Amino acid sequence: MITEIKQVARRHLASEGANLSLRAVARDMGMVSSALYRYFASRDDLLTALIIDAYDAIGADVEAADAGIPDRIDLRGRWLACAHAVRDWALANPAEYALIFGSPVPGYAAPADTITPASRTPVALIRIVADGHAAGRLSDPGTDLPVSVRADLVRIASDLGVEVPAALLDRGVESWLQMFGTVSFELFGQFNNVITDRAAFFAHRIHATADRIGLPPEQRP
Amino acid sequence: MITEIKQVARRHLASEGANLSLRAVARDMGMVSSALYRYFASRDDLLTALIIDAYDAIGADVEAADAGIPDRIDLRGRWLACAHAVRDWALANPAEYALIFGSPVPGYAAPADTITPASRTPVALIRIVADGHAAGRLSDPGTDLPVSVRADLVRIASDLGVEVPAALLDRGVESWLQMFGTVSFELFGQFNNVITDRAAFFAHRIHATADRIGLPPEQRP
DNA sequence: TGTACATCAGTGAACGCGCGTTCACTGATGTAC
DNA sequence: TGTACATCAGTGAACGCGCGTTCACTGATGTAC
């Protein structure tokens, strides 16, 4: 029942954006609006549930894409698979993507429960870099980093329990930004009148990020 | 009067997000809501005006930042100035930033009048690259590009009337994505619990993009 | 200098609609003895 | 096998509020003669 409510709510999200209306959801379910209060304490609670679900959904897709590459040493293959999983999920679920990566919903503050689901996707990406480093296939670029930036990166690595040199992690973060920047621009309309072949453009961008991280060329089996 | 309405509307945007209410704006101006219809045909018209203004405001700031570097051959100086103008404007006007770079407003389709204002900022950035190329200070990286990507880039260059090799423009676009990706992530909350020193992080990212484009180190006068 | 008229910014009431949330309730289903 | 009771999903009316838009209007200001 909770699942069904969320499903209908997701449908509404798609047509109405983040202005989610409890009454409209109830109407669509053939219920009276007050009935929803048996399942969610408030509209914000429903929103939170949808946000957590969205983070989990994209995270699960990315993890599955990564796991789908049998050769764990094919780092670039894993990286490309994850990146395309991100974009594919975003294109398939634009409203949910906007909910988590778009403008904050006015008057809504995400509770702490969203932190863990939110980290699934970035963690999957970082793990590829960490694996590559552990396997001796990714070298430390050794770039100079501003102290506070280095400090943040070191903390991130230790929070996630991965062993990655700060300068290498920096390249990973850079790529993460470019990946999501590209998807957001595509979804939010900044590519209108600019980029036409978006799939090719994205693939090209992702290869560029892989080069930048130093991921070896794709394995040919 | 139109100016004043827009000013009040901008204030509302800041607290309420894109759910802009005509009645609330009118109330704040000590008017009756129907009075606004003398100035704007509809709520969407007001939104459009705000969107155009926002694009123009950030574009003007970036252009001014660029013009503020007297040595036109100091390409990196110009690049950094523009990038920081982008971030500064975004931090100072988060709601307007969200309006133009965040999730699309549900049920609202931007009319064609927004295209030109929207291009001011990217054009200012590309012009730096074009100037560098014209002055022989930026070499063509000569990267292989997928055909359709190359075609888009060539068309963009010719639309804007700039002479930039596709592979160099590609680096510019990459940087533009990273720049806005970084600002959006900062503003939309993705850096919570991740990046603490955001000014340093942004500056670092921008230097990395400048390196990537091949902009020579800053001039020391 | 004075009168007649046009312009036009802003009013106020109304239309028809939406919303989140509360609250006492009905009525079916399941459980305990 | 039958009765009494508890549980609980869902109802329906209400509260108090919001919204965009239309429309006939007032009343001040400016213009023409």
Side-chain angles (χ1 to χ4, degrees), chain A residues 124-147:
Chain A
L125 294 171
I126 289 174
R127 213 178 300 279
I128 298 172
V129 175
D131 285 2
H133 178 67
R137 299 196 157 224
L138 282 182
S139 53
D140 182 351
T143 340
D144 265 357
L145 300 173
V147 266

Side-chain angles (χ1 to χ4, degrees), chain A residues 99-217:
Chain A
L99 187 63
I100 56 183
F101 293 107
S103 339
V105 180
Y108 172 84
D113 326 23
T114 58
I115 297 176
T116 312
S119 66
R120 281 177 74 171
T121 298
V123 163
L125 294 171
I126 289 174
R127 213 178 300 279
I128 298 172
V129 175
D131 285 2
H133 178 67
R137 299 196 157 224
L138 282 182
S139 53
D140 182 351
T143 340
D144 265 357
L145 300 173
V147 266
S148 61
V149 172
R150 172 174 295 273
D152 274 338
L153 292 168
V154 168
R155 186 184 35 74
I156 293 168
S158 98
D159 278 2
L160 302 178
V162 293
E163 188 93 25
V164 189
L168 184 56
L169 182 55
D170 185 56
R171 294 284 172 94
V173 171
E174 176 184 291
S175 297
W176 170 64
L177 283 166
Q178 197 179 139
M179 187 183 299
F180 280 88
T182 308
V183 172
S184 292
F185 263 32
E186 177 175 356
L187 250 74
F188 297 166
Q190 301 293 324
F191 281 176
N192 296 343
N193 315 303
V194 182
I195 305 293
T196 57
D197 189 347
R198 288 149 194 199
F201 182 76
F202 182 77
H204 167 59
R205 282 271 78 77
I206 292 307
H207 266 291
T209 62
D211 292 343
R212 185 92 170 123
I213 295 173
L215 299 176

Side-chain angles (χ1 to χ4, degrees), chain A residues 1 23 31-32 34-35 38-39:
Chain A
M1 180 57 48
R23 286 186 112 109
M31 285 171 129
V32 97
S34 49
R38 197 154 298 273
Y39 304 99

